[in-house]
Amino acid sequence: MLKATGIGIGAGLGTTALATPAGAADAPLVHPGLLHTRADLGRMAAKVKAGARPYAAGFAKLTANRHAQSGWRANPQAVVYRGSGSPENYRILYNDIHAAYQNALRHHVSGEEAYADTAVAILNAWSGKLTRLEGSADRFLAAGLYGYQFANAAELVRDHGDFDLERARELLLNVFHPLSDSFLSHHNNAVVTNYWPNWDLTALACVLATGIFCDERAVVGRAVEYFKHGDGMGSVKHAIPVVHEDGLGEWVEAGRDQGHALLGVGLMGTVCEMAWNQGIDLYGYDDSRFLKGAQYVARWSLGGDVPYTANTRRKGAIGGWSGTETASDVAGVDPGMTRPVWAMIANHYTKRRGLPASYVTRAAAKAAPEGGGGDYGPNSGGFDQLGFGTLAFTRDRNQGRNRGQDRVEESVGGPSPSPGPSGGSPGSRAAGGVRPQASASPARGGDDLAATGTGDAAGWAAAAGIGAVAGGLLLLRRRDRVRREGGE
């Protein structure tokens, strides 16, 4: 295994020329082809209709969410403020986008047109009114998070007769994408390492989603190149600067706090999944480096010891104040903290690729059935991921490489990765000689995260059992909640 240094990660980072990767520029783009393909949507519908585990529990989680009701009404704003400004109204935007996504997903699974009509009405209302995003530096987070989420919701209804596709394209290209693209280029005129990985990853998710939705191949290429070679901390080798001898990939933001590390893993997984559905294998890039980082965060979040290499990053504004910050150990964790980020990652590596991913699989089982926006508290941190991974990403194990629907191209993504890390018990002392304070349990809350050794088979069996129980309870408790509910 590669043993790389994580010390002084802000030093020596130059300017990276961004270019379209070979093989991607002329490839046709797939629609729907962001987080969900047509085959994915068909699988969900068939499995739910058959009452299959754990899909039924995942769908029950969706239908119980107040955002997934066809009575939701949009409240579009001309200007959205986040971080500062009057009024700071970004909560209206993220609630409406999640309502659009959940209604669109519910339509594809149930076949009921009322939910598609609601999603279209929400998206059309916003594309017809929103003109700009304002506020503090947090405006870049708003652009990145809500840009990629808007694109995913819109992708699910792009063929609906009443959906204004051209206006949605204009909103993404003229409002969301420019801020995200600017952040990747200039980092708000700060030192490139001033911002932790999740800032880059929100922007990267928006740029990639915009490129795919709008059929802008050069934009897709820019996102792919940044993931591989970008200067900022969100590129894969800066987010995961060290791969230890035991195969765990050190997630740099684990030196900050658990919530932001979970956010970063979820965002990087989102980027990888959207790219995969366009035939670009970022999941497997650099010998599945992302898998090693996800395994690290999963083991740590489950309460296990992980190594951490002290690193110092530069902070400050270009031509202004400057300083440094050193993270010398992993932060404490609350094993009860969860985010809907694991099902997508676990299913890719263990089911699509047949690779071992024991810690990720255990984390996915523990979180099942995954919910979405509105299920993890009212604050924006609970809306950073679209969620519902138990429903959307559970899949049967592939028999060999899938070169049909998944369209993975060796010329773009590189060779098939070698097996990633797996073994070891969560409570054991990890290689690397650093003993973290992994038992600390900070208070849980709904903070705005962006701003501020069980085997795979046992793990999936646990997920199915949890899903069955949760699905039954949700169905019993929510049988009568099919009446329409209004939005805020």
Side-chain angles (χ1 to χ4, degrees):
M1 292 291 181
L2 172 68
K3 174 69 175 178
T5 181
I7 301 174
I9 63 174
L13 297 178
T15 300
T16 299
L18 298 172
T20 303
D26 299 323
L29 298 181
V30 176
H31 299 291
L34 288 174
L35 286 176
H36 315 301
T37 65
R38 196 169 304 281
D40 293 334
L41 297 168
R43 180 184 68 250
M44 292 179 227
K47 294 286 190 178
V48 169
K49 184 177 181 180
R53 300 178 183 177
Y55 301 89
F59 186 60
K61 192 79 172 178
L62 173 65
T63 59
N65 193 302
R66 72 186 187 90
H67 294 77
Q69 311 308 316
S70 60
W72 190 280
R73 296 294 177 263
N75 184 17
Q77 308 291 306
V79 182
V80 166
Y81 299 92
R82 176 166 176 165
S84 64
S86 180
E88 191 180 11
N89 56 356
Y90 68 100
R91 293 171 180 82
I92 299 172
L93 175 59
Y94 69 66
N95 274 281
D96 275 0
I97 289 176
H98 280 257
Y101 172 77
Q102 292 180 28
N103 272 274
L105 189 62
R106 186 169 181 176
H107 156 70
H108 280 285
V109 177
S110 70
E112 297 177 72
E113 290 296 328
Y115 300 107
D117 294 342
T118 297
V120 167
I122 295 168
L123 297 167
N124 283 349
W126 278 94
S127 67
K129 189 163 185 177
L130 182 62
T131 59
R132 66 185 194 275
L133 303 172
E134 298 286 355
S136 65
D138 284 8
R139 70 190 184 279
F140 294 108
L141 298 173
L145 289 167
Y146 313 138
Y148 97 77
Q149 293 172 0
F150 182 94
N152 270 276
E155 183 79 346
L156 293 178
V157 295
R158 67 182 296 134
D159 294 330
H160 191 286
D162 294 331
F163 178 60
D164 197 326
L165 177 61
E166 185 56 34
R167 210 165 65 192
R169 291 183 77 256
E170 291 173 358
L171 180 63
L172 285 165
L173 289 170
N174 298 331
V175 177
F176 291 109
H177 175 263
L179 282 171
S180 292
D181 185 70
S182 172
F183 187 84
L184 294 181
S185 297
H186 306 295
H187 290 89
N188 197 28
N189 296 317
V191 176
V192 70
T193 54
N194 184 74
Y195 292 97
W196 287 99
N198 70 84
W199 289 77
D200 261 11
L201 288 166
T202 61
L204 187 59
C206 177
V207 171
L208 180 59
T210 298
I212 294 169
F213 182 84
C214 298
D215 291 296
E216 295 285 346
R217 292 168 178 80
V219 176
V220 173
R222 170 172 170 74
V224 170
E225 181 67 10
Y226 195 94
F227 177 93
K228 295 178 178 180
H229 305 298
D231 292 338
M233 294 184 72
S235 61
V236 67
K237 291 184 182 180
H238 292 146
I240 309 168
V242 181
V243 176
H244 293 278
E245 293 177 358
D246 62 356
L248 293 177
E250 185 173 302
W251 191 269
V252 68
E253 208 154 0
R256 183 186 184 189
D257 61 59
Q258 182 185 10
H260 285 94
L262 290 171
L263 170 62
V265 167
L267 288 169
M268 189 170 283
T270 294
V271 169
C272 289
E273 184 71 15
M274 293 189 297
W276 176 273
N277 287 332
Q278 297 299 326
I280 303 168
D281 187 6
L282 299 183
Y283 276 119
Y285 177 71
D286 193 23
D287 195 30
S288 296
R289 195 179 189 95
F290 174 53
L291 170 59
K292 297 165 188 174
Q295 284 275 84
Y296 177 100
V297 173
R299 172 173 170 151
W300 168 60
S301 292
L302 290 166
D305 287 354
V306 291
Y308 192 83
T309 305
N311 66 75
T312 298
R313 66 189 184 98
R314 294 176 57 218
K315 298 173 62 178
I318 296 174
W321 71 277
S322 63
T324 61
E325 181 179 64
T326 298
S328 58
D329 205 349
V330 291
V333 298
D334 175 2
M337 179 183 289
T338 187
R339 291 289 184 270
V341 303
W342 296 114
M344 176 172 60
I345 302 167
N347 273 279
H348 172 80
Y349 286 113
T350 68
K351 301 296 184 64
R352 276 185 181 142
R353 306 304 289 271
L355 300 178
S358 59
Y359 301 123
V360 169
T361 304
R362 286 185 59 207
K366 186 175 181 180
E370 288 181 355
D375 290 320
Y376 298 90
N379 297 330
S380 61
F383 291 80
D384 287 340
Q385 282 85 31
L386 289 168
F388 300 105
T390 305
L391 167 66
F393 302 111
T394 300
R395 60 186 71 247
D396 297 326
R397 187 181 295 276
N398 273 358
Q399 299 299 316
R401 284 289 295 272
N402 185 339
R403 291 186 178 275
Q405 175 60 41
D406 286 328
R407 303 178 65 252
V408 176
E409 301 167 5
E410 297 288 2
S411 61
V412 175
S416 179
S418 61
S422 59
S425 66
S428 66
R429 187 182 181 90
V434 179
R435 182 175 179 82
Q437 300 300 315
S439 60
S441 299
R444 297 172 64 186
D447 293 342
D448 172 4
L449 296 182
T452 58
T454 298
D456 297 327
W460 287 126
I466 294 170
V469 173
L473 290 174
L474 279 167
L475 288 169
L476 287 172
R477 293 170 58 190
R478 306 295 187 183
R479 284 181 70 178
D480 296 326
R481 284 196 59 186
V482 295
R483 296 185 179 277
R484 295 182 175 88
E485 294 181 28
E488 61 183 17

